[in-house]
Amino acid sequence: MNSATAWSKKVPFAVDVAGVIEIMGTSLYSQPMAAVRELIQNAHDAIQRRRDVDLTFSGRIDIALDKDAGTLTFHDDGVGLDAQEAEKYLGTLGVGMTGGIRREEGESTGTGQSLIGMFGVGLFSAFMLAERVRVETRRFDGAQGVCWDAGAGSDITLSSCERERAGTSVTLFLRPAFKELAGEPESIEKAVKYYADHLPIPIHLGGGSARINMVHSNWLSPSVDTDVLSQEIENDFHERPLEIIPVRSSSGAKVSGVLYVTPERTPAFSGAPLVTVTVRRMVISRRIDGLMPVWAPFLRGVLELPLCGPTSSREDLVRNAAFDAAQKVVEEEVFKFLEGLAETDIGRLTRMVVWHRYTLAGASLTNPRLRRLLSKCYPFDTSHGPMPFVKVQELSPADALVESDFDAVIWFNSDRRQEQASAKLFAGRTTPCVQATRSFEEPMLLMMTAEAGPQVQARAVNLNSKGFLESILGIREVESVPESWAEFLKLENVSIHAASYDAGVPAVAFLDERRDLKQTVEELFKTGQVPMGFQKMMEEHLDSRKIGNNQVLLNRKHKLVARALGRKTSHPLASVLRLLVYQSLEAAGATLPQQAQRVRAADLEWVSDALSGGE
Ligand SMILES: Nc1ncnc2c1ncn2[C@@H]1O[C@H](COP(=O)(O)OP(=O)(O)OP(=O)(O)O)[C@@H](O)[C@H]1O
Ligand SMILES: [Mg+2]
């Protein structure tokens, strides 16, 4: 038995300040240069707040380097702080005036709208680079300056100081490991340009008269001149955009910026920056997961998401309702742009679609809206030249003599090896044969067909496809070849038939290798995203017979075939016929099995012996 008496007491959370500052300084941010960003943000907020009380005030930020002293100083001429404010806001982790103002004034109106700070921790990022931080400041309406001095883990010293100008100077006494930064204006400039290029407040370096951040960023300005934007994109991203998509949504999610379509061929694999996301014009990240539509990895650009919340490290966005809303707006804007282009300039849209065809075709399988768009502009190769689905449908009215259930029958071939042969069969007709031979094209075509309505059907160019013999080959009846011939011509996975038709060839072969399609389709079914009618059509298409059986159709109208079939299989003509069957399969792209190759060698020998009369 346990004889100890039970007890309980309340204990406060304890915070080891030195430990927290250490964490802030070493582990919150992945880049030490994030300190530059945080200090610029604070200066920006101070200037914004001064602008709110003095509408004529413009403000500027100056960064000074002192190589000998090993310091970096961030000057601003913003509101400044008095002694009480300095004590309260600078030295309290988690408390800042900015967050308070934003909460009071609301996120989307008044001063709150333009401020960046929110967590009350940013200043401590300075300890990543510095062992000591000194803030000298004077309120714009105050009489005396105040100095706030802190070393990591030590107490803060607050004192009065001489300061003529209103505003704030934050000096970092650099850690030994970062001392050299004080002599490297290029590194500082690079960090400023990375994080603050779109910030409207001018930032100067080392007393220089020209600002180092962009004077005016058209990316985010409301008036859009695509030529200017194109030029800016080329300067910034070093590539020429295929299309420029201005994004301006003031309703709800408030997303603005510019996206463009990259000319890069395999955009999903490139390590290049993708979409730069800014919140209140400070760069958060160039790769925010889940923001851009998955079907458009070819988009690049800059987006300002003023209502999204950065994580406290400011390297990512919090996934919240604002994020979801922004993501929806972005997708909607991109769709609207492309759908608009489908109306106004289909040629331009088609060129872009062709450039990124694999990405788009693949993505369309799970995205009905994208599929609808592509049905108008994705050019399938056909026996009659490239054309989009809607055009194919127009040119494929059903053969009224044979079809009673369908208004349109779309013929397609999905085997690259059969492209030529199938194109030949369609050459003299107005109906095209779609060559759905590239990745994703076959399921995409079938889904588009299913969505075109129950009176439209897609059929493979194949002996088993309903209506193919009648409508395309003009054959009324197909027979199986006699038993002895079936045995003689026997080949693994090949069925042999005979019919009379006008093609002028002894035999036509059709390959049927749909294992790939079957697999893709089964995966699609699992996603549950297939259109109505698609499943039924696929079942018919895939299960109508054993997958993988190739077919040969002997032409009884051909003299040689007619003669051969009229004799015994021991006659040399039978061997000639067998050679022709093999040849038709090879012409269609099949690879003959070893066994058949041996048979062929024997046949050739036999024919040659027979011809030479046993000399
Ligand atoms: N340059 C400055 N001028 C005037 N006040 C400043 C300046 N820098 C900091 N402050 C004051 O110190 C507070 C704390 O700054 P800190 O960067 O730690 O937090 P914040 O900016 O409020 O929020 P965040 O953590 O999101 O940056 C600010 O809210 C502001 O009141
Ligand atoms: Mg801050």
Side-chain angles (χ1 to χ4, degrees):
M1 269 269 295
N2 189 346
S3 61
T5 32
W7 61 276
S8 81
K9 72 171 182 177
K10 283 203 165 22
V11 292
F13 270 110
V15 178
D16 172 20
V17 173
V20 171
I21 292 176
E22 173 71 16
I23 292 171
M24 300 289 315
T26 55
S27 319
L28 178 57
Y29 308 91
S30 65
Q31 306 284 340
M33 287 311 244
V36 172
R37 178 192 66 205
E38 292 299 321
L39 296 171
I40 289 174
Q41 276 174 187
N42 286 351
H44 164 273
D45 284 356
I47 289 169
Q48 285 294 357
R49 286 176 50 214
R50 187 160 173 194
R51 279 182 181 177
D52 279 333
V53 286
D54 178 357
L55 295 179
T56 61
F57 176 73
S58 61
R60 67 181 256 170
I61 299 169
D62 281 273
I63 305 173
L65 292 74
D66 186 334
K67 196 174 171 194
D68 299 333
T71 60
L72 287 183
T73 303
F74 294 76
H75 297 284
D76 70 69
D77 50 5
V79 277
L81 297 152
D82 63 23
Q84 275 165 345
E85 290 170 335
E87 181 175 348
K88 182 167 168 198
Y89 296 120
L90 294 177
T92 318
L93 266 179
V95 176
M97 202 188 292
T98 331
I101 294 172
R102 284 176 66 168
R103 275 186 292 278
E104 271 166 34
E105 305 220 354
E107 288 294 318
S108 46
T109 51
T111 320
Q113 200 178 5
S114 53
L115 301 180
I116 301 169
M118 59 195 294
F119 303 108
V121 300
L123 180 61
F124 291 85
S125 66
F127 288 108
M128 274 191 292
L129 299 177
E131 50 198 9
R132 200 153 72 82
V133 176
R134 179 161 47 189
V135 181
E136 289 165 291
T137 180
R138 203 185 110 187
R139 242 187 100 104
F140 72 106
D141 54 0
Q144 196 181 30
V146 47
C147 175
W148 178 99
D149 202 313
S154 69
D155 287 340
I156 294 164
T157 310
L158 208 57
S159 56
S160 63
C161 73
E162 285 298 315
R163 185 175 169 101
E164 226 171 82
R165 287 176 43 221
T168 304
S169 305
V170 180
T171 301
L172 313 190
F173 296 85
L174 297 167
R175 290 171 188 269
F178 292 106
K179 272 254 154 64
E180 72 274 20
L181 271 184
E184 288 172 4
E186 324 75 49
S187 308
I188 306 296
E189 178 165 353
K190 202 167 145 220
V192 171
K193 287 186 86 61
Y194 184 87
Y195 291 118
D197 220 12
H198 303 286
L199 211 65
I201 292 171
I203 304 172
H204 297 258
L205 183 64
S209 56
R211 62 190 285 173
I212 55 171
N213 57 336
M214 223 187 274
V215 178
H216 178 64
S217 160
N218 285 296
W219 293 94
L220 303 172
S221 77
S223 60
V224 187
D225 177 338
T226 26
D227 288 344
V228 176
L229 284 174
S230 181
Q231 195 53 52
E232 269 185 25
I233 290 166
E234 281 194 62
N235 292 344
D236 244 44
F237 284 80
H238 311 293
E239 56 185 17
R240 183 178 284 264
L242 294 184
E243 282 300 333
I244 294 178
I245 308 176
V247 180
R248 297 281 179 275
S249 163
S250 48
S251 66
K254 275 204 175 166
V255 179
S256 59
V258 178
L259 295 172
Y260 73 89
V261 178
T262 177
E264 169 123 37
R265 270 296 167 143
T266 49
F269 303 109
S270 100
L274 303 175
V275 175
T276 301
V277 168
T278 65
V279 171
R280 300 171 190 222
R281 302 220 165 187
M282 286 298 283
V283 171
I284 300 295
S285 168
R286 307 208 169 197
R287 281 175 181 271
I288 300 265
D289 268 354
L291 178 66
M292 303 306 295
V294 283
W295 53 270
F298 44 75
L299 292 178
R300 305 280 184 269
V302 177
L303 288 178
E304 159 70 18
L305 310 177
L307 302 184
C308 281
T311 59
S312 52
S313 66
R314 284 211 173 80
E315 289 165 9
D316 201 349
L317 296 178
V318 179
R319 303 299 189 272
N320 53 15
F323 183 87
D324 294 345
Q327 186 234 317
K328 283 209 183 69
V329 165
V330 172
E331 180 160 21
E332 181 62 28
E333 293 278 311
V334 175
F335 261 132
K336 273 200 324 226
F337 176 85
L338 298 175
E339 286 161 355
L341 207 52
E343 300 296 320
T344 56
D345 196 340
I346 192 85
R348 227 171 85 194
L349 180 62
T350 302
R351 279 193 293 282
M352 185 227 119
V353 166
V354 166
W355 198 262
H356 292 295
R357 64 157 78 225
Y358 292 102
T359 309
L360 287 164
S364 82
L365 300 186
T366 50
N367 190 324
R369 186 168 176 185
L370 181 61
R371 217 154 48 228
R372 223 159 26 245
L373 176 70
L374 294 187
S375 72
K376 296 182 201 150
C377 63
Y378 182 99
F380 285 99
D381 282 341
T382 80
S383 52
H384 295 44
M387 63 180 88
F389 178 82
V390 287
K391 181 81 186 161
V392 173
Q393 187 185 340
E394 214 178 283
L395 294 179
S396 306
D399 178 348
L401 288 179
V402 195
E403 309 289 342
S404 51
D405 296 343
F406 300 101
D407 297 340
V409 173
I410 289 165
W411 291 102
F412 72 94
N413 157 52
S414 58
D415 192 324
R416 194 173 287 282
R417 297 164 301 178
Q418 291 196 117
E419 233 167 273
Q420 283 195 328
S422 56
K424 255 188 226 150
L425 296 176
F426 283 78
R429 344 192 124 255
T430 47
T431 304
C433 171
V434 179
Q435 305 293 354
T437 55
R438 294 191 183 86
S439 305
F440 316 115
E441 286 187 337
E442 187 180 11
M444 179 168 70
L445 178 77
L446 294 173
M447 287 174 124
M448 286 173 175
T449 308
E451 279 158 337
Q455 271 79 47
V456 186
Q457 212 182 36
R459 294 184 198 154
V461 171
N462 191 290
L463 293 194
N464 284 332
S465 288
K466 183 169 166 273
F468 176 70
L469 293 167
E470 298 92 322
S471 305
I472 307 302
L473 294 182
I475 296 173
R476 294 287 149 211
E477 199 186 351
V478 173
E479 329 130 36
S480 305
V481 290
E483 192 72 17
S484 59
W485 280 96
E487 191 50 40
F488 177 75
L489 296 171
K490 196 169 152 189
L491 253 179
E492 211 184 317
N493 293 331
V494 177
S495 348
I496 309 219
H497 311 274
S500 301
Y501 52 97
D502 288 328
V505 288
V508 189
F510 298 90
L511 303 190
D512 184 25
E513 299 193 358
R514 299 195 212 171
R515 288 187 192 89
D516 288 354
L517 174 67
K518 199 164 186 223
Q519 207 177 347
T520 314
V521 166
E522 272 162 10
E523 276 161 25
L524 280 172
F525 284 161
K526 276 187 227 147
T527 68
Q529 303 221 2
V530 295
M532 298 238 303
F534 177 69
Q535 184 145 359
K536 194 164 160 283
M537 192 159 77
M538 285 319 297
E539 276 161 10
E540 275 171 24
H541 180 56
L542 290 172
D543 297 341
S544 56
R545 85 212 114 87
K546 199 169 149 253
I547 299 267
N549 242 22
N550 296 332
Q551 304 184 312
V552 174
L553 185 61
L554 296 173
N555 186 3
R556 277 197 180 282
K557 269 201 186 165
H558 195 272
K559 222 184 331 186
L560 196 142
V561 176
R563 279 196 194 157
L565 289 180
R567 299 179 191 247
K568 291 220 165 76
T569 56
S570 54
H571 193 274
L573 263 185
S575 286
V576 174
L577 186 61
R578 183 153 62 187
L579 287 168
L580 290 171
V581 166
Y582 289 3
Q583 191 251 331
S584 73
L585 282 161
E586 281 188 329
T591 312
L592 291 181
Q594 290 278 309
Q595 168 62 17
Q597 304 203 18
R598 280 193 291 274
V599 169
R600 171 160 59 187
D603 276 341
L604 281 170
E605 212 164 303
W606 166 223
V607 172
S608 113
D609 283 354
L611 285 177
S612 54
E615 280 164 22

